[in-house]
Structure formats: structure tokens, C-alpha cells
């Protein structure tokens, strides 16, 4: 009888209260944490897919811009005589008329004047007023007690903004002042002197000359060795003259023909669009939906790209849109080329197509293909853009889910503390019951012994 009472009280049962608390917490939090983990994993997948979409769009736009940066039709420029001249593509320009034959007859030079020798750069030059006269006007340089030295004179000339610069050369014999203008005969200068001190002697050591070159037999004169108007879209840097010697400036690769260029663009576009289609695929008939299915940012990206073939790239010429030269959008959003129409457009006016794809001068109405893509990218990824807003929304969800996990964890710790306190109280009660049991057992044992 008394054994049954002891068993019903759990005396000596050895309950593992720590494991019991853990099991109760798991029962209370398990479902919530599992659901939260699923949501976090899905949101993380969406964030990754959104980042990949933004990166793919930016990479695509940059690749098109690089191809249509003025060098896409010629490659890098090379000179067959790099000891005579180098060539580079002018920014925002497209080289034309290449390859070109060039002959450097004369390089441009600057006028140079040198003074007599002074003991040192600190030596006094005498108080005076120098007047520099050139095509820009007259510029006065005043030497007084505050700057009466060769160094002071140099600094005063350089501060005059006359277009003439001064420097000091020093050797075993002493220091001399050298005056130099910019290249070309238009920058000739003269110096007049006045004041109480004797005039300083200046000796001409170099006469100003203009550069003279021939491009495809046409003689051109410039005041500089950096020439930008001889070949459209090309800057020529002259290094030395060698009359009678002709060399070539050309691209280092075969020019991209328009048909190949359009084909490469369509291939790259379709890769981008196919990845977007996969990311936004709805989950129909048991199939798995794409990570960005239903996402507003992804939908807006697709909508903007779908308008590309009908976007006006220029406001002049026969061809103004990609659709005009045979590029069309299919039902799945990818592009195809009507090769017959493209070939006919090229045969009709290939130059107009080039200017449509890449205007020589970009304006609001002449944006070109890279400009259209840049506008789409900026609209989607700028402040308030659909992709930016979508990414911010997903990041906000990520932060909210993290806060929810922290709250569940904090609530779990509170529940753990409460359960541990309750079980600690139960252990105390069990201890009291054990003491009572022990006392009763002793009493009953004594009673049985007496009987």
C-alpha cells in the first residue's frame, strides 16, 4: 500500500528536468523557428537573385558602351612609326578615314630665351619692370626690394599668366633664367625692360615654329604637336620630323561590320533576357517558381528592356530605332534579326546606321544604343528606381526576419528561466515529500515491529 503511494508521488523517479525544459522549449519554438528559417532562406535567395539581376544589367550596359566607344569599329590605334608619332581615339568620337598615310615634315617648337649668368639663384637682378608682349596682350612683371633676385623674377613671371614660363638652370658657372612660350609661331613673345637698373640681356636659343604634316597627301599646319583635326576622331602626337618618310595610322584589328555588331548585341541581350525569364518564372502546374516571380522590380526591368527595340536612338536619318533595321522582339522577350531587312538597311546607308548606334556627339535626341541602355540602367538603379526599391524592400524583410528570430530567442530564454524556476520549486516540493515519506516509513516500520 505504502509502496504504491511512493510511486504515485514520483519519489526516486530521477526525472531529468534539464532535458524536460529543452523538450518543452523545442515544442514551443520549433514550428516558429522552422517557418522563420524557411522565410529567411527564401528571402536570401531573392536578395541574391536581385543582386545578380542588377549586376547582369550593369555588365550588359557596360559591355555595349565599351564596344560602341569609338573604337568598336577600328580597335586600338597604332602608328607604324612610333618614333615619329603616336595616335589615340578622341573621347566621345569615332575614328574615320583609317588607315591614313602620314608624313611629319616639321614639328612645332616653342620660342626660348636665356639670360646672362648670375652668381646664384639668390643673386639680385636689379629693380626693374619687364613687359612681356605676345598675342595675348602685354603683361608687366615688377621687381622691387621684395623680390629682387633671380628666384623672385622667375616666380613673378610665372605668376603673370602671360603664357610665358620661367625656370632657373644652374651649373658650375652659375645660374641662368630661361623663358619659354607655348609651341607655335602664334605664341611668339618679346620682352621690354624699364627702370633704374640696366637691362638684362636675353639671348634667343630657340625659334617658334608650327608643325607641318601631310595626311593622305594633304599638307596641314598646326601650332602644336598634338593634332586633333587631321583625321576625324583621332589625336596625333608628333614626336619627330622626317620629311619624305610616310607611315600609317590604323586600327589594330579588323573593323566590326554592322551586321556582326548587331548580331553580337542581340546574342548578349538574349542571354540577359533568358536569365531574367528564369528568375521571374511563375510556379505553374507543379513547377518551381523563379526566385523573383512576382517581384515588381524584376517586372519593371523586363518592361523597360522590352521597349528597347522601339526606343528612338537618333532624330535624324532614315533609321531611328533598332526595329527600323530589322531587330524585333519575340513573345518571350528575346530578340531576333530579320537578316534580309538588316542587309537592305546596310546597303542603303551603313553610315546612318553607325550614327544611330553611336552618335559622334551625344545629345538628348541622339542618345545611341549605349545611351538608351544607360538611361534604362539609371532609371532602374538610381534613387527611387524599381530595382533599388526592390532591393531595399528585400533588405527590410531580411532585417525584420532577423528581429523576429531575436525576439523568439529572447522569449525562449524567458520561458527557459520560468520553466527552470518552476521545476526548481517542484524539486523542493519533492524533497519535502521525500522527507515526509522517510518519516512515515520509519513510523510504520516501528509500528509493525511492535506488533
Amino acid at each position: 500500500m505504502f509502496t504504491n503511494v511512493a510511486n504515485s508521488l514520483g519519489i526516486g523517479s530521477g526525472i531529468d528536468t534539464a532535458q524536460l525544459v529543452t523538450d518543452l522549449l523545442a515544442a514551443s519554438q520549433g514550428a516558429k523557428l522552422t517557418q522563420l528559417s524557411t522565410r529567411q532562406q527564401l528571402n536570401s535567395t531573392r536578395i541574391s537573385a536581385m543582386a545578380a539581376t542588377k549586376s547582369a544589367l550593369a555588365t550588359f550596359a557596360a559591355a555595349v558602351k565599351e564596344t560602341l566607344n569609338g573604337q568598336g569599329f577600328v580597335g586600338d590605334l597604332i602608328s607604324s612609326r612610333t618614333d615619329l608619332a603616336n595616335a589615340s581615339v578622341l573621347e566621345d568620337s569615332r575614328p574615320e578615314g583609317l588607315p591614313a598615310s602620314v608624313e611629319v615634315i616639321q614639328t612645332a617648337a616653342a620660342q626660348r630665351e636665356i639670360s646672362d649668368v648670375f652668381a646664384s639663384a639668390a643673386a639680385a637682378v636689379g629693380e626693374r619692370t619687364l613687359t612681356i608682349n605676345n598675342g595675348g596682350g602685354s603683361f608687366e612683371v615688377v621687381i622691387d626690394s621684395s623680390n629682387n633676385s633671380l628666384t623672385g623674377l622667375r616666380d613673378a613671371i610665372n605668376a603673370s599668366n602671360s603664357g610665358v614660363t620661367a625656370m632657373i638652370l644652374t651649373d658650375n658657372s652659375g645660374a641662368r633664367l630661361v623663358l619659354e612660350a607655348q609651341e607655335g609661331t602664334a605664341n611668339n613673345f618679346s620682352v621690354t625692360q624699364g627702370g633704374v637698373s640696366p637691362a638684362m640681356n636675353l639671348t634667343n636659343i630657340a625659334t617658334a615654329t608650327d608643325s607641318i604634316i601631310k595626311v593622305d597627301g594633304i599638307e596641314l599646319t598646326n601650332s602644336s604637336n598634338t593634332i586633333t583635326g587631321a583625321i576625324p576622331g583621332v589625336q596625333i602626337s608628333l614626336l619627330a620630323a622626317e620629311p619624305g618618310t610616310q607611315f600609317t595610322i590604323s586600327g589594330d584589328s579588323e573593323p566590326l561590320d554592322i551586321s556582326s555588331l548587331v548580331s553580337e548585341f542581340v546574342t548578349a541581350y538574349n542571354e540577359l533576357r533568358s536569365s531574367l525569364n528564369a528568375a521571374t518564372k511563375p510556379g505553374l502546374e507543379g513547377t518551381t517558381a523563379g526566385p523573383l516571380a512576382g517581384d515588381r522590380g524584376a517586372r519593371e526591368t523586363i518592361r523597360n528592356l522590352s521597349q528597347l527595340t522601339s526606343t528612338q536612338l537618333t532624330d535624324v536619318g532614315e533609321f531611328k530605332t533598332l526595329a527600323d533595321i530589322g531587330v524585333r522582339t519575340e513573345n518571350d522577350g528575346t530578340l531576333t534579326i530579320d537578316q534580309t531587312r538588316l542587309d537592305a538597311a546596310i546597303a542603303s546607308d551603313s553610315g546612318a546606321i553607325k550614327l544611330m548606334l553611336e552618335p559622334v556627339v551625344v545629345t538628348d535626341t541622339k542618345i545611341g544604343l549605349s545611351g538608351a541602355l544607360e538611361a534604362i540602367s539609371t532609371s532602374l538603379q538610381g534613387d527611387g528606381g524599381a530595382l533599388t526599391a526592390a532591393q531595399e524592400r528585400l533588405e527590410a524583410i531580411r532585417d525584420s526576419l532577423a528581429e523576429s528570430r531575436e525576439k523568439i530567442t529572447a522569449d525562449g530564454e524567458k520561458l527557459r528561466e520560468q520553466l527552470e524556476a518552476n521545476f526548481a520549486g517542484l524539486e523542493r516540493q519533492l524533497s519535502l515529500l521525500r522527507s515526509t515519506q522517510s518519516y512515515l516509513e520509519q513510523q510504520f516500520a516501528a509500528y509493525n515491529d511492535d506488533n
Side-chain angles (χ1 to χ4, degrees), residues 86-131:
N86 290 320
S88 59
V89 176
L90 285 170
E91 186 176 359
D92 298 325
S93 299
R94 183 176 64 240
E96 297 180 8
L98 296 178
S101 173
V102 179
E103 177 185 350
V104 182
I105 299 171
Q106 176 177 286
T107 56
Q111 178 184 348
R112 302 182 78 196
E113 304 285 332
I114 191 168
S115 73
D116 290 338
V117 178
F118 289 80
S120 69
V125 296
E127 296 183 14
R128 68 183 70 243
T129 298
L130 277 71
T131 303

Side-chain angles (χ1 to χ4, degrees), residues 57 83 88 153 163 173 233 261 376 396 401:
L57 179 61
D83 58 326
S88 59
L153 176 57
S173 62
L261 186 66
I376 292 174
L401 292 174

Side-chain angles (χ1 to χ4, degrees), residues 153-180:
L153 176 57
R154 177 201 63 191
D155 295 343
I157 291 173
N158 289 337
S160 69
N161 295 319
S162 63
V164 175
T165 58
M167 61 181 174
I168 296 173
L169 299 182
T170 303
D171 61 11
N172 292 339
S173 62
R176 285 169 285 185
L177 186 73
V178 178
L179 305 182
E180 183 174 0

Side-chain angles (χ1 to χ4, degrees), residues 120-241:
S120 69
V125 296
E127 296 183 14
R128 68 183 70 243
T129 298
L130 277 71
T131 303
I132 298 174
N133 301 284
N134 57 25
S138 297
F139 305 86
E140 286 193 348
V141 177
V142 178
I143 303 300
D144 55 25
S145 59
S146 66
N147 61 348
N148 186 10
S149 68
L150 198 61
T151 298
L153 176 57
R154 177 201 63 191
D155 295 343
I157 291 173
N158 289 337
S160 69
N161 295 319
S162 63
V164 175
T165 58
M167 61 181 174
I168 296 173
L169 299 182
T170 303
D171 61 11
N172 292 339
S173 62
R176 285 169 285 185
L177 186 73
V178 178
L179 305 182
E180 183 174 0
Q182 295 178 349
E183 297 170 343
T185 57
N187 297 307
N188 275 327
F189 67 94
S190 63
V191 178
T192 58
Q193 304 178 53
V196 298
S197 300
M200 179 191 309
N201 291 326
L202 292 174
T203 303
N204 178 265
I205 56 173
T207 302
T209 59
D210 292 329
S211 64
I212 303 174
I213 65 172
K214 284 185 178 181
V215 177
D216 292 333
I218 301 173
E219 186 170 293
L220 302 169
T221 301
N222 290 274
S223 60
S224 172
N225 287 318
T226 301
I227 301 171
T228 57
I231 304 174
V234 176
Q235 175 176 293
I236 305 173
S237 299
L238 305 182
L239 302 175

Side-chain angles (χ1 to χ4, degrees), residues 25 37 45 69 136 154 157 193 220-221 229 262 291 320 327 347 403 409:
L25 283 173
S37 294
T45 301
N69 68 348
R154 177 201 63 191
I157 291 173
Q193 304 178 53
L220 302 169
T221 301
V262 173
K320 298 179 175 63
V327 181
E403 291 175 0
T409 301

